[in-house]
Amino acid sequence: MPATDTATEAAQQDALQAPAESSNDLMIEVDGKLVPNYDATIKPFEEGDVVSGDVVRIDKDEVLVDIGYKSEGVIPSTELSIRRSVDPAEEVSLGERVDALVLTKEDQEGRLLLSKKRARFEKAWRKIEAAAESGEPVDGTVIEVVKGGLILDLGVRGFLPASLVDIRRVHNLDEYKGQTLQCKVIELNRSRNNVVLSRRAVLEEERKEVREQILGRLQPGAVVEGTISNIVDFGAFVDLDGIDGLIHISELSWSHVNHPSEILSVGETVNVKVLDIDRERQRISLGLKQTQEDPWRRVLEEYGPGDVLEGKVTKVVAFGAFVEIIPGVEGLVHISELAEHHVESPSEVVSPGDQTWVRILEIDEDRRRISLSVKRAEHQNLPLRDLMPPELTGEAQATPEEVPDLDVSEEVFPEPPPQPEGEQAATGEEETGEPPSEDEGS
C-alpha cells in the first residue's frame, strides 16, 4: 500500500476514535459516522448586523439572498432602495453580491428578513459624517424634484435647496433629475436622518481656482470672448469661462444707451476689451464699444466747424439739447443756440426724437465734444460769430446774454461767467446806437 493511502486511513481512524470537540468542527460524528457539520458553516449574526450574500431570485415584490444561513434571506421591495416605488429587477441582478442589514432572524412566517437600503444607509452615513467633518464633497444622484429643491440619493436622502444648486438662480430644477452632483454637507442630524447639501459651495471653490488662473493670464488691453451672463440697469456681466467681468453701460456703445437690454441679451457671445483688472478684489472691467470702430474718427476726417448736417435730438436738459449727428456721436446745442428768440426752456423748442438741422460751431478733439447750433443752421447766411473776431466783422463786442461760453472742454455749459471788476456791461447805447431815455436814465 502506498504511504499516502496509509496516512489517510490513519487520519480517518483517528477522527472516528476522537470525540467531536465542538459544534464548530467542520465534521461531526453521528451514529458512529463522520458527517459535515452544516451549523459550523453558518456565521453567527444578530439582528442589526450587516451581512453579505448573493441574489438567487428576483420577484416583483421581493428578492431572495443566500447569506449562508439555513434559509435564504428575504429583502422586501420596500427595503431595496430609498427611492419610492422601485422595481426590484432595476435594483439588483441575479448572482449580484449585496450587503443587507438583518431586520429579524425569524418573522411570524419563519423568514429571515433583510434590508439592503438600511445596510447602505449605515455605510453611507459613516461616509457622510466623515465628509462633513473633513469638508470633502460627496456624490449623489438626483432622484426627486420637490418643492424648494432636489432630493439626492447618497445612500441616505440628502436635500439640496434650490438656492444652493448653482451659483446663479436655477429656473428649471427638472433638468437636474438623474444627474450625479457633487455637493458639500452643510448640515447633519442623525436623530432626524437629516442631511442638507450645497452644490454651490463646490462650484464656488472650483471657481475661485479658475478665477486665479484667468486673472493670472489676463492683461489690460486684451480682447477676449465671453458670454453675457446677466443684464442689470448699470451694465452687463460677461462670463469669461469661469469669472465674470462687468461692462458698464457707458462702455457698451459709442451711441447713447438707455438700458443694456437694448443691445445685448443673456447668452449672447461677445468680444470685449479688458479695460482694467483689480486682482485683489478679483474684478474685471470690460468694454464692448472699444471693439467697434470709433465714430469720432469719421467726424474728424469728414466734418469741421461751419458744416451743416441733419441730426436727431437724443436728450433735452435744462441748459440745452444733445443732438446725434452720426451714429455714436452727439453734440450739444446750448439753449442760446436753439432759436433766434429767447428760450426759457429747451423743451419749448425741441423734444427727444426730433430731427433737426445743426451747424457745427466747434470740435474739441481731445475732450471728444462738439458744440452745435440750430439757429445758425436755419439761416446759413448768418456769420459764425464764435469763429470770427469782432475786429473782422466790424461789430461791437456782443453781450454775454447773446453769445454764451461755448467752451466744449467743460462737462456742461456753465452759466455766463461773471465780468471782471472794472468792466461794465454793454449798455442800450451799444445795442441801439441811441442814448438811454430820461426815464431809463433815472
Side-chain angles (χ1 to χ4, degrees):
M1 181 180 293
T4 53
D5 293 341
T6 303
T8 301
E9 185 178 346
Q12 291 176 348
Q13 290 178 355
D14 291 340
L16 290 172
Q17 293 173 0
E21 294 181 358
S22 68
S23 60
N24 289 332
D25 293 337
L26 297 179
M27 302 292 290
I28 59 173
E29 183 180 350
V30 177
D31 296 332
K33 294 182 180 180
L34 282 177
V35 295
N37 182 6
Y38 293 105
D39 288 339
T41 64
I42 299 175
K43 296 180 180 179
F45 58 85
E46 300 296 333
E47 293 178 359
D49 291 348
V50 175
V51 295
S52 298
D54 299 323
V55 177
V56 294
R57 181 175 170 179
I58 301 175
D59 293 330
K60 64 178 182 179
D61 57 357
E62 64 182 22
V63 172
L64 300 185
V65 180
D66 179 11
I67 65 168
Y69 192 54
K70 59 185 178 181
S71 61
E72 294 167 339
V74 178
I75 305 178
S77 59
T78 56
E79 295 295 331
L80 280 171
S81 172
I82 62 174
R83 302 169 187 258
R84 297 186 175 95
S85 303
V86 300
D87 181 356
E90 294 180 356
E91 292 295 324
V92 295
S93 56
L94 284 175
E96 180 183 352
R97 192 161 187 83
V98 296
D99 292 330
L101 183 138
V102 179
L103 298 177
T104 176
K105 296 180 72 172
E106 190 172 342
D107 67 358
Q108 295 178 348
E109 300 176 9
R111 301 182 305 171
L112 169 65
L113 291 182
L114 306 173
S115 173
K116 177 176 176 287
K117 75 176 183 182
R118 300 193 193 192
R120 185 165 177 249
F121 178 92
E122 292 298 327
K123 292 176 65 177
W125 194 269
R126 289 193 291 270
K127 180 180 178 181
I128 291 170
E129 285 180 326
E133 185 176 347
S134 66
E136 291 295 319
V138 293
D139 294 332
T141 303
V142 179
I143 57 175
E144 290 181 45
V145 177
V146 296
K147 183 179 180 180
L150 304 172
I151 299 297
L152 273 64
D153 180 3
L154 307 169
V156 302
R157 290 169 68 86
F159 177 61
L160 175 57
S163 60
L164 300 179
V165 172
D166 206 332
I167 294 176
R168 299 185 182 90
R169 183 180 176 184
V170 177
H171 298 283
N172 182 18
L173 291 175
D174 290 326
E175 64 187 27
Y176 289 93
K177 194 168 184 179
Q179 292 188 27
T180 298
L181 306 179
Q182 195 173 63
C183 307
K184 283 197 173 185
V185 180
I186 60 174
E187 187 177 326
L188 200 60
N189 190 321
R190 178 61 188 266
S191 62
R192 297 169 55 191
N193 292 334
N194 187 31
V195 181
V196 181
L197 307 168
S198 172
R199 178 170 176 258
R200 179 174 181 170
V202 175
L203 296 177
E204 286 180 340
E205 192 169 294
E206 292 175 348
R207 198 161 197 177
K208 183 178 179 181
E209 297 177 0
V210 173
R211 282 176 178 172
E212 292 175 352
Q213 295 175 2
I214 295 175
L215 287 171
R217 67 172 183 263
L218 277 183
Q219 296 296 331
V223 176
V224 294
E225 185 179 85
T227 304
I228 303 299
S229 58
N230 194 20
I231 293 177
V232 291
D233 292 341
F234 55 85
F237 288 96
V238 182
D239 183 1
L240 303 176
D241 292 331
I243 186 171
D244 278 357
L246 173 65
I247 311 175
H248 191 268
I249 189 170
S250 62
E251 304 296 341
L252 286 172
S253 174
W254 296 109
S255 303
H256 177 71
V257 177
N258 292 314
H259 195 273
S261 58
E262 295 176 359
I263 58 175
L264 293 174
S265 58
V266 174
E268 182 180 350
T269 300
V270 292
N271 288 321
V272 290
K273 186 174 183 178
V274 180
L275 303 181
D276 187 38
I277 301 176
D278 185 338
R279 301 185 188 278
E280 184 176 341
R281 301 170 67 188
Q282 293 193 341
R283 293 186 178 179
I284 303 174
S285 297
L286 304 172
L288 180 62
K289 70 182 183 182
Q290 287 78 4
T291 63
Q292 305 162 356
E293 182 181 359
D294 186 353
W296 256 90
R297 302 314 309 168
R298 179 184 166 192
V299 171
L300 297 175
E301 292 170 2
E302 299 182 11
Y303 301 102
D307 289 345
V308 177
L309 59 163
E310 190 177 21
K312 177 182 177 182
V313 178
T314 58
K315 188 177 181 181
V316 177
V317 291
F319 51 83
F322 288 93
V323 177
E324 185 178 55
I325 55 174
I326 64 172
V329 177
E330 295 178 346
L332 175 65
V333 181
H334 191 266
I335 188 172
S336 62
E337 293 294 324
L338 284 171
E340 292 186 1
H341 62 273
H342 178 71
V343 177
E344 288 289 343
S345 173
S347 58
E348 298 174 1
V349 183
V350 292
S351 300
D354 288 351
Q355 294 291 132
T356 183
W357 288 91
V358 292
R359 183 183 287 263
I360 298 176
L361 300 181
E362 184 181 353
I363 298 176
D364 187 335
E365 180 178 353
D366 295 333
R367 303 297 296 276
R368 300 171 69 94
R369 288 171 184 159
I370 302 178
S371 176
L372 305 173
S373 174
V374 171
K375 72 180 184 181
R376 301 174 193 244
E378 293 173 346
H379 302 281
Q380 298 182 26
N381 59 340
L382 290 178
L384 297 181
R385 301 174 187 270
D386 297 343
L387 305 178
M388 300 177 65
E391 306 87 64
L392 297 181
T393 62
E395 296 179 357
Q397 179 67 38
T399 66
E401 287 77 10
E402 290 178 332
V403 181
D405 181 2
L406 296 180
D407 180 8
V408 290
S409 298
E410 297 297 330
E411 184 67 27
V412 296
F413 286 92
E415 293 296 325
Q419 293 179 334
E421 294 183 3
E423 183 176 329
Q424 300 297 323
T427 65
E429 182 178 3
E430 290 178 322
E431 295 180 359
T432 64
E434 299 178 359
S437 65
E438 293 182 0
D439 295 338
E440 292 175 339
S442 60

